[in-house]
Amino acid sequence: MHEMALAMGILQIVEESARTQPFRRVRTVVVEIGELSAVEASALCFCFDAVTHGTLAEGAALDVIAISGQGLCFNCGKTVHLAALYDPCPDCGGYPVQATAGTEMRVKELEVE
C-alpha cells in the first residue's frame, strides 16, 4: 500500500514546516489529489491517522481536494476530461492523449495552532 509512504511524506512536510514556522499543533492538512494519481483518498486518510499518532499532527483532519483528470489529444488537439491514463480521447476516439492535469498530489495548506 503506497498510501502509507505518502502519509509518512505528508508528516515529514508537516514536521519540516514546524521547524521553520513554530507551531504547537496541526488541526487540518489540506491535500490536492489528482484523479489520475493512483492514490486512494480513503486509504491515505487511514494511513495518515496511523502515522500521526504521537506527533504534533495527531488528530488532525486530512482534507482532500480532488483534481479532475485532463489531457491534450494529439489527434484532434482538444483538451478533454480524462478518466484514466491511456484512455482514448472521449471526443474523437484518437490516441495519444497526454495527461495535463490530475496526476499530481500536493500538500496545499496547513491549519495550525
Side-chain angles (χ1 to χ4, degrees):
M1 169 185 316
H2 73 284
E3 283 83 357
M4 183 62 78
L6 295 172
M8 291 187 320
I10 292 170
L11 180 59
Q12 287 176 342
I13 291 169
V14 168
E15 290 172 338
E16 187 174 305
S17 294
R19 283 191 289 278
T20 60
Q21 305 167 34
F23 49 85
R24 295 180 319 232
R25 186 168 104 74
V26 178
R27 296 183 63 194
T28 307
V29 178
V30 179
V31 295
E32 293 178 329
I33 299 177
E35 182 179 19
L36 307 174
S37 67
V39 176
E40 178 60 46
S42 61
L44 181 63
C45 290
F46 177 82
C47 293
F48 182 75
D49 285 343
V51 301
T52 57
H53 182 72
T55 71
L56 66 131
E58 183 173 5
L62 188 64
D63 185 11
V64 176
I65 299 170
I67 306 297
S68 65
Q70 289 187 343
L72 175 63
C73 176
F74 290 172
N75 193 45
C76 69
K78 293 182 183 176
T79 297
V80 295
H81 177 263
L82 197 56
L85 290 174
Y86 313 113
D87 273 359
C89 175
D91 285 353
C92 74
Y95 289 98
V97 180
Q98 174 67 46
T100 58
T103 59
E104 66 272 29
M105 182 189 141
R106 74 177 129 252
V107 174
K108 182 176 181 179
E109 182 179 320
L110 299 176
E111 182 182 330
V112 299
E113 295 177 354

